[in-house]
Amino acid sequence: MSGRIRITEVSPRDGLQAESVIVDAPTKAELVRKVEATGVDEVEVSSFVSPKWIPQLGDAAEVFDLIAPTKRDGVCYSALVPNMKGFEAALAVNRDAREKHGVERLIDKVSVFTAASEGFSLKNTNATIEETLERFAPIIPEAHAQGLMVRGYISCVIKCPFDGEISAAQVGDVASRLLELGVDEIDLGDTIGAGTPDTIEQVLLEVIDRLDGRAHNDFGDPTLTLHLHDTFGNAAACIDRAIEVGVRSFDSSAGGLGGCPYASTATTRAPGNVSSLTLIDAATEAGVQTAVDRGMMVEASAFASGLIK
Ligand code: HMG
Ligand code: MG
């Protein structure tokens, strides 16, 4: 196996959004700096969602203001936006960063998010899948007009805590709709960590088929990303299989922090994201490179874990 994988570090957003402790903005900024320094390709910094739904990330604009002066050349900063209001908040952050800090483009990518299951979509965004797509339609061309990339997340690609098993075709259909809307990247979320190498391979092959041979987007990045949660300890094996079928872009979280609050049920808490060290080690084992300094990721992971103790 050869090549290199692209890594998006999601601990500042996905890692902190479900924790009962609210981490203050300067500490979040420190986490971003630490994970960014490891050499990851992208840092998912925060989300511009309703603070009533996710109070943990209500300070997104403040965090971006704090990290603007130290952004490393070549790193991609991204943020989740559920609707036009969130997208406009992201654009305002970029305007402020230009005026206050002289940073040409602070947020490089906005991530819209929907699901393969209606149950999860409703719980997570108070909208059906169709309604979420309607919300995204005006955002995507406007993002492109501003030079921003757009990631399209699909949650619950294997199983939904409310609707049960999800077929690969269901995921493929949502992926096709997002691609029609113009997203640059599809990110498949195994939100509750239900995947096995075989089921992950099935859904990846379905979406690769929908991508119609387009492995890279206009920005030169992979069009397909995998976002795993390590609930049952299958993530490393799933990463190995994904690399085997050609996936070269993964999300991971320092210290394995986080999970989605709306993936919890009455009896089970939302599980954590695959840890960045697990991802790096699985990639190395599979014979592909990463741009990350492992020693620095050990340090960043200890810092991340310390935040939620
Ligand atoms: P809603 O309550 O239906 O929204 O929520 P609404 O349009 O009726 O507005 C209600 C209030 O929210 C209004 O304020 C709006 O202004 C405000 P009020 O008049 O009551 O004062 N509002 C906003 N405020 C700030 N930013 C915004 C915004 N939009 C409306 N963008 C909404 C709909 C989508 C806003 C809500 O459901 C929401 O914010 N959901 C986000 C939930 C979330 O962040 N989940 C986690 C991310 S997804 C995930 O983690 C999965 C992933 O990791 C992959 C995987 O693992 O599967 C990506
Ligand atoms: Mg997640």
Side-chain angles (χ1 to χ4, degrees):
M1 203 77 66
S2 65
R4 153 168 131 67
I5 59 162
R6 184 176 191 283
I7 297 183
T8 300
E9 171 61 47
V10 299
S11 58
R13 193 280 304 175
D14 207 355
L16 296 180
Q17 73 179 10
E19 296 303 332
S20 49
V21 291
I22 298 203
V23 174
D24 64 28
T27 310
K28 285 179 180 137
E30 189 57 20
L31 174 62
V32 171
R33 289 192 199 101
K34 282 191 188 300
V35 293
E36 180 177 345
T38 67
V40 294
D41 302 276
E42 176 172 339
V43 182
E44 191 175 75
V45 174
S46 194
S47 52
F48 295 96
V49 298
S50 162
K52 287 185 189 138
W53 286 61
I54 309 278
Q56 293 88 337
L57 301 182
D59 56 3
E62 194 185 342
V63 176
F64 274 112
D65 186 56
L66 288 168
I67 59 177
T70 50
K71 187 182 185 192
R72 161 169 68 78
D73 268 357
V75 75
C76 172
Y77 279 169
S78 55
L80 266 60
V81 297
N83 54 17
M84 192 47 94
K85 188 174 169 103
F87 176 62
E88 280 167 358
L91 292 184
V93 160
N94 274 2
R95 265 196 311 277
D96 285 353
R98 224 173 355 256
E99 284 163 18
K100 272 179 72 179
H101 304 289
V103 178
E104 187 44 41
R105 188 180 298 116
L106 184 59
I107 300 173
D108 305 284
K109 180 189 285 186
V110 288
S111 301
V112 295
F113 52 101
T114 185
S117 71
E118 292 294 355
F120 187 80
S121 183
L122 285 168
K123 282 272 182 191
N124 197 37
T125 56
N126 200 22
T128 62
I129 297 169
E130 193 60 41
E131 285 164 346
T132 62
L133 297 172
E134 281 164 22
R135 289 174 182 174
F136 306 156
I139 295 175
I140 296 164
E142 188 51 33
H144 287 155
Q146 305 276 339
L148 302 184
M149 297 173 256
V150 183
R151 162 182 278 195
Y153 270 113
I154 307 174
S155 286
C156 297
V157 299
I158 303 293
K159 193 172 175 182
C160 168
F162 313 106
D163 296 358
E165 304 291 328
I166 302 296
S167 73
Q170 261 173 283
V171 179
D173 289 347
V174 178
S176 292
R177 295 290 305 282
L178 284 167
L179 290 167
E180 278 161 28
L181 289 178
V183 301
D184 304 292
E185 172 191 2
I186 297 286
D187 190 331
L188 300 178
D190 179 11
T191 314
I192 56 170
T196 63
D198 286 348
T199 54
I200 287 285
E201 174 172 351
Q202 228 182 338
V203 75
L204 288 172
L205 292 179
E206 179 73 34
V207 175
I208 288 169
D209 194 44
R210 308 293 180 122
L211 282 162
D212 210 12
R214 211 168 155 249
H216 291 90
N217 59 34
D218 294 344
F219 299 89
D221 290 332
T223 45
L224 179 57
T225 295
L226 186 58
H227 177 111
L228 295 166
H229 288 238
D230 206 6
T231 326
F232 303 106
N234 289 332
C238 292
I239 289 164
D240 187 58
R241 185 68 68 86
I243 289 173
E244 215 175 286
V245 302
V247 176
R248 290 293 180 272
S249 176
F250 293 86
D251 295 343
S252 65
S253 175
L257 242 60
C260 179
Y262 297 101
S264 290
T265 64
T267 50
T268 50
R269 186 184 184 279
N273 292 278
V274 62
S275 86
S276 299
L277 288 172
T278 300
L279 172 59
I280 295 162
D281 290 346
T284 307
E285 185 84 5
V288 295
Q289 312 296 312
T290 77
V292 175
D293 179 314
R294 194 182 187 284
M296 291 179 86
M297 186 56 86
V298 170
E299 269 177 48
S301 302
F303 180 82
S305 304
L307 297 179
I308 57 158
K309 281 203 173 114

